[in-house]
Amino acid sequence: MVRIAGVDLPRKKQMEIALTYIYGIGRSRAREILEEAGVETTLNSDNISEAQAAKIREVIEKGYAVEGDLRKETIMNIKRLMDLGNYRGLRHRKGLPVRGQRTHTNARTRKGRRRNMMKKS
C-alpha cells in the first residue's frame, strides 16, 4: 500500500484514479502529476515501485497544495470573509447558501432539517 501526502492510496486502482483520493487532486491534476513524474497513468497502485512513489511525492510536495495545507487555506479564506462582514461572509456565518441560490424552497443541505412550526388550532 502506497502512502502519499498522508493518505493511503487504495489497492487495485489505476494510479490516475488512486491519486484522486488525496484532497486537492482531481483527474486532470493526477494526470499532470504522473506525467511529470514519468509514471504510467494505467499502472496499478499495487504494482508501483518505491522509487516511483518517491518521485510522485516529490512532484506533489514541490508544486501543489494538498490535504492539510489546502484545507487550512480554504478555512482561512472563509474565516477572512466572515471577519470582513461582507455579504458572502454573513451567508457563511448564518449557514445559508453563499452563491445566490434560492432558499424559499431547497437549500436543505445548508439550512439543515426542517423544523415544524406549531399548528394553531
Side-chain angles (χ1 to χ4, degrees):
M1 183 177 292
V2 181
R3 189 169 179 84
I4 297 176
V7 176
D8 291 330
L9 297 184
R11 295 181 177 275
K12 299 180 183 172
K13 299 244 185 227
Q14 291 183 357
M15 280 306 294
E16 183 180 349
I17 305 300
L19 282 178
T20 62
Y21 282 69
I22 299 171
Y23 182 81
I25 297 179
R27 293 283 295 269
S28 59
R29 188 168 279 180
R31 240 179 265 123
E32 286 175 16
I33 290 168
L34 291 172
E35 199 173 288
E36 199 175 324
V39 179
E40 285 185 43
T41 58
T42 57
L43 189 66
N44 224 346
S45 59
D46 290 340
N47 302 335
I48 192 167
S49 69
E50 196 54 46
Q52 290 172 325
K55 184 67 176 160
I56 292 170
R57 270 189 220 101
E58 182 184 311
V59 170
I60 290 173
E61 287 173 11
K62 180 182 70 174
Y64 301 98
V66 293
E67 280 300 321
D69 296 336
L70 184 60
R71 288 181 203 269
K72 186 177 178 182
E73 185 180 326
T74 306
I75 289 168
M76 291 305 293
N77 287 340
I78 292 171
K79 187 175 181 331
R80 178 181 53 82
L81 288 171
M82 288 167 51
D83 290 343
L84 286 173
N86 61 10
Y87 183 76
R88 281 174 57 200
L90 294 176
R91 302 298 281 187
H92 274 293
R93 199 178 302 158
K94 291 179 182 176
L96 293 170
V98 177
R99 298 185 177 176
Q101 297 93 332
R102 68 178 290 144
T103 56
H104 178 68
T105 59
N106 302 337
R108 295 285 25 134
T109 303
R110 285 291 293 178
K111 289 167 66 173
R113 283 189 64 197
R114 286 188 176 90
R115 292 181 283 286
N116 288 337
M117 300 296 285
M118 292 282 291
K119 290 186 179 178
K120 295 181 180 177
S121 336

